[in-house]
Amino acid sequence: MVDCVALTPWHADQLIEVQSGIGHLVMISSAIVYSDGAGLSLDSAAERGFPDFPIPISTDNPTVRPGPETYATRKVEIERRLIKKAQIPVAILRPCAIHGPYSKRAREWWFVKRLLDGRQRIPLAYGGRSRFQTSSTSAVAKAILQSLASHHTQILNVADADAPTVAEIGREIMRNLGIEAELIGLPDEPYPAEKGGTPWSGEKPIVLASSIIGVETYAQSVPRVIEWLQQATSQRAWTEVLPQLAQYPASFFDYAIDEEAIGTEGAVPLSP
């Protein structure tokens, strides 16, 4: 059984109740559970400051404390309940920025829409250097299959074979679309960035040590996403295709803010 929507401790209890009819249990958790040496995490970055993780983050890195407070603390609570109470093999998967066709929050649309709208210059917070580990749906599938080979409970980081910067993501999307634009790096500022902030933007890198063998790079897997996005949005409003992305702040696609950002002191074109 693969549980992709275990969001509360109650869901963990449900799984424990039916475990007698299951051979293996796979629970999709998240890399958001990790905390740094100061106890900072992605879940609280906007309020407490951006975490400073080791590169890469291994599965034995500390996590936030379990509890009902946030998405991350609830995920940890679920993980620990399953590990403690399950009598069958359990695989806890911790992906990061998941991408793949049919996503309702396809982060790639941040670049794709700008390029299709003819934006010739695109500002990027933190100089485009941000690295927020990408995890393809194909990597998640590989992790599920790999976990079935074990008869022991395990925690697995799920990551692409690389961790591209935001600028590298943008250039890869441009290459797939066949559309060029100039990327403009903006000066650093406290998180979250007010200008040029993308779905991958952060002050410091988030890079996972992958537990999965034979995964693709971001460049190898992202063409499927780009192709699907173009097809899916050709006859439907993007807000219908990507309802979760549409819930982001209205300024996400405010090109007036982009223009203002491009004129920011210290903004510089990024070399190809």
Side-chain angles (χ1 to χ4, degrees):
M1 176 180 285
V2 180
D3 192 338
C4 300
V5 289
L7 300 174
T8 72
W10 178 66
H11 293 143
D13 294 338
Q14 282 185 312
L15 295 170
I16 297 300
E17 288 179 6
V18 300
Q19 66 177 319
S20 61
I22 303 171
H24 286 74
L25 174 62
V26 180
M27 175 259 185
I28 308 296
S29 185
S30 170
I32 201 172
V33 302
Y34 291 120
S35 64
D36 69 3
L40 301 178
S41 70
L42 281 173
D43 210 24
S44 60
E47 296 79 27
R48 300 181 57 205
F50 204 84
D52 188 4
F53 290 115
I55 300 176
I57 305 170
S58 64
T59 55
D60 58 4
N61 191 86
T63 69
V64 298
R65 294 180 179 180
E69 296 83 10
T70 68
Y71 177 79
T73 61
R74 290 191 293 272
K75 281 290 191 183
V76 173
E77 179 70 26
I78 296 168
E79 290 185 3
R80 296 192 180 182
R81 286 198 188 191
L82 291 177
I83 291 172
K84 180 179 180 180
K85 297 182 178 181
Q87 302 299 312
I88 60 173
V90 175
I92 305 294
L93 306 190
R94 292 176 177 169
C96 201
I98 298 178
H99 63 96
Y102 308 105
S103 169
K104 298 186 187 309
R105 184 171 49 188
R107 294 172 175 85
E108 284 70 21
W109 186 244
W110 192 92
F111 276 111
V112 172
K113 177 171 168 55
R114 282 171 166 77
L115 294 166
L116 294 179
D117 286 345
R119 302 297 299 170
Q120 296 183 349
R121 295 191 296 173
I122 300 176
L124 300 178
Y126 309 111
R129 302 184 308 275
S130 299
R131 298 171 74 195
F132 184 36
Q133 181 68 64
T134 55
S135 304
S136 71
T137 50
S138 63
V140 174
K142 282 182 178 292
I144 293 170
L145 294 174
Q146 179 177 312
S147 71
L148 296 180
S150 174
H151 297 292
H152 302 284
T153 291
Q154 52 192 323
I155 297 175
L156 303 173
N157 276 344
V158 183
D160 291 342
D162 58 350
T165 65
V166 170
E168 289 168 341
I169 288 173
R171 293 191 182 102
E172 191 58 39
I173 291 173
M174 285 191 278
R175 190 183 70 80
N176 278 271
L177 286 176
I179 302 174
E180 292 293 326
E182 185 177 41
L183 301 181
I184 307 295
L186 302 181
D188 294 349
E189 60 177 297
Y191 180 87
E194 294 184 359
K195 300 173 183 177
T198 75
W200 307 271
S201 294
E203 289 182 78
K204 300 165 187 174
I206 308 293
V207 179
L208 297 184
S210 180
S211 307
I212 314 305
I213 300 171
V215 293
E216 297 174 310
T217 64
Y218 181 79
Q220 289 172 321
S221 58
V222 78
R224 297 189 290 272
V225 183
I226 307 305
E227 181 180 1
W228 170 74
L229 276 172
Q230 292 179 88
Q231 293 175 350
T233 59
S234 62
Q235 296 182 346
R236 295 174 60 196
W238 75 265
T239 51
E240 295 179 8
V241 177
L242 309 170
Q244 292 183 9
L245 195 71
Q247 293 177 8
Y248 278 57
S251 59
F252 216 51
F253 293 106
D254 189 330
Y255 296 155
I257 293 179
D258 279 11
E259 288 299 319
E260 181 181 346
I262 290 168
T264 300
E265 183 178 356
V268 296
L270 300 179
S271 301

